[in-house]
């Protein structure tokens, strides 16, 4: 009887830890937002492009709207809301897949869920800002709609792995291909993650040796 109670307590503890994981929490949020937007737009495979125009203006980081339309309202919150939108089920699944891998690694390194969430949001915003900058310089060649968590995922990768390992993983696994494109957002997010790693994770440990 005592064994059953111990096993039950252990299962509850595991379940509780899973629910407290920011990696799981944000994966659930990404799925929930995708399902809701799919229901609103009536299109499961292209919910962003099929969403009502007013909703796109409120949620999507639309580069032409910001940079080319005279008098178009500036909506800075789309730098955050667009992180949680995805163009299709493959785009969503690939981002969640890599988030689960690198998110758990970063959790183990940080042991601080608030800091993990800060890194996710900061690197996601950094990725979006780099996307906007690329559009200002290159025009439509940089992309039109900026959506997806891949900038934040690359930021998590950079913060968890550092520059050398991040480059090796990208080259071997082709993460940029499977993350749905968005090269400029990926680069911006990863650079922000690497900088954060240096400042928040390894900065106090990596001290120059004195010979």
């Amino acid at each position: 009887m005592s064994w059953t109670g111990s096993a039950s307590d252990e299962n509850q503890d595991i379940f509780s830890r899973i629910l407290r994981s920011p990696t799981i929490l944000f994966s659930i949020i990404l799925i929930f937002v995708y399902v809701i937007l799919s229901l609103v737009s009536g299109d499961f495979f292209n919910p962003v492009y099929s969403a009502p125009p007013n909703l796109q203006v409120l949620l999507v980081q639309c580069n032409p709207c910001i940079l080319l339309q005279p008098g178009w309202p500036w909506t800075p919150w789309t730098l955050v809301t667009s992180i949680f939108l995805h163009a299709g089920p493959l785009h969503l699944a690939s981002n969640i897949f890599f988030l689960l891998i690198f998110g758990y690694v970063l959790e183990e390194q940080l042991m601080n869920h608030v800091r993990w969430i800060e890194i996710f949001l900061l690197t996601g915003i950094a990725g979006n800002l780099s996307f906007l900058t690329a559009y200002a310089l290159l025009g439509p060649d940089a992309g039109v709609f900026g959506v997806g968590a891949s900038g934040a995922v690359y930021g998590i990768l950079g913060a968890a792995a550092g520059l050398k390992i991040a480059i090796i993983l990208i080259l071997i696994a082709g993460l940029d291909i499977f993350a749905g494109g968005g090269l400029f957002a990926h680069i911006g997010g990863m650079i922000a993650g690497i900088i954060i790693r240096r400042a928040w994770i390894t900065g106090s440990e990596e001290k120059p040796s004195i010979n």
Side-chain angles (χ1 to χ4, degrees), residues 89-204:
L90 180 60
H91 187 205
L92 173 67
S94 62
N95 276 336
I96 290 179
F97 176 75
F98 292 118
L99 179 62
L100 289 172
I101 294 174
F102 301 116
Y104 276 124
V105 173
L106 186 60
E107 281 187 41
E108 291 296 321
Q109 294 179 5
L110 285 174
M111 301 299 291
N112 185 322
H113 293 169
V114 173
R115 182 65 41 107
W116 190 102
I117 294 172
E118 291 173 351
I119 292 174
F120 181 92
L121 294 175
L122 287 173
T123 57
I125 292 171
N128 282 338
L129 288 174
S130 66
F131 191 25
L132 280 176
T133 302
Y135 190 91
L137 296 174
L138 302 176
D141 289 339
V144 178
F145 289 98
V147 296
S150 52
V153 171
Y154 266 76
I156 295 290
L157 165 60
L163 178 59
K164 293 180 180 179
I165 296 178
I167 291 175
I168 292 172
L169 287 171
I170 291 169
L171 291 175
I172 293 177
L175 299 190
D176 190 61
I177 297 175
F178 293 107
L183 174 64
F184 297 104
H186 300 169
I187 292 174
M190 188 175 69
I191 291 175
I194 292 169
I195 293 173
I196 288 174
R197 175 179 177 82
R198 176 68 179 177
W200 287 358
I201 302 174
T202 64
S204 60

Side-chain angles (χ1 to χ4, degrees), residues 13-151:
D13 183 59
I14 293 173
F15 184 69
S16 177
R17 279 186 292 172
I18 290 174
L19 289 180
R20 290 199 304 267
S21 165
T23 302
I24 294 296
L25 173 63
F26 273 75
S27 297
I28 292 173
I29 291 174
L30 293 178
I31 294 171
F32 179 77
V33 170
Y34 189 90
V35 170
I36 293 298
L37 188 61
S38 297
L39 292 174
V40 171
S41 65
D43 187 347
F44 178 78
F45 294 100
N46 297 285
V48 173
Y49 299 106
S50 300
N54 291 339
L55 193 60
Q56 289 184 4
V57 171
L58 289 175
L59 300 178
V60 176
Q61 180 193 311
C62 178
N63 296 328
C65 297
I66 296 172
L67 298 172
L68 300 180
Q69 295 285 352
W72 196 275
W74 166 242
T75 52
W77 58 83
T78 58
L79 293 173
V80 176
T81 57
S82 60
I83 297 173
F84 298 90
L85 305 178
H86 288 84
L90 180 60
H91 187 205
L92 173 67
S94 62
N95 276 336
I96 290 179
F97 176 75
F98 292 118
L99 179 62
L100 289 172
I101 294 174
F102 301 116
Y104 276 124
V105 173
L106 186 60
E107 281 187 41
E108 291 296 321
Q109 294 179 5
L110 285 174
M111 301 299 291
N112 185 322
H113 293 169
V114 173
R115 182 65 41 107
W116 190 102
I117 294 172
E118 291 173 351
I119 292 174
F120 181 92
L121 294 175
L122 287 173
T123 57
I125 292 171
N128 282 338
L129 288 174
S130 66
F131 191 25
L132 280 176
T133 302
Y135 190 91
L137 296 174
L138 302 176
D141 289 339
V144 178
F145 289 98
V147 296
S150 52

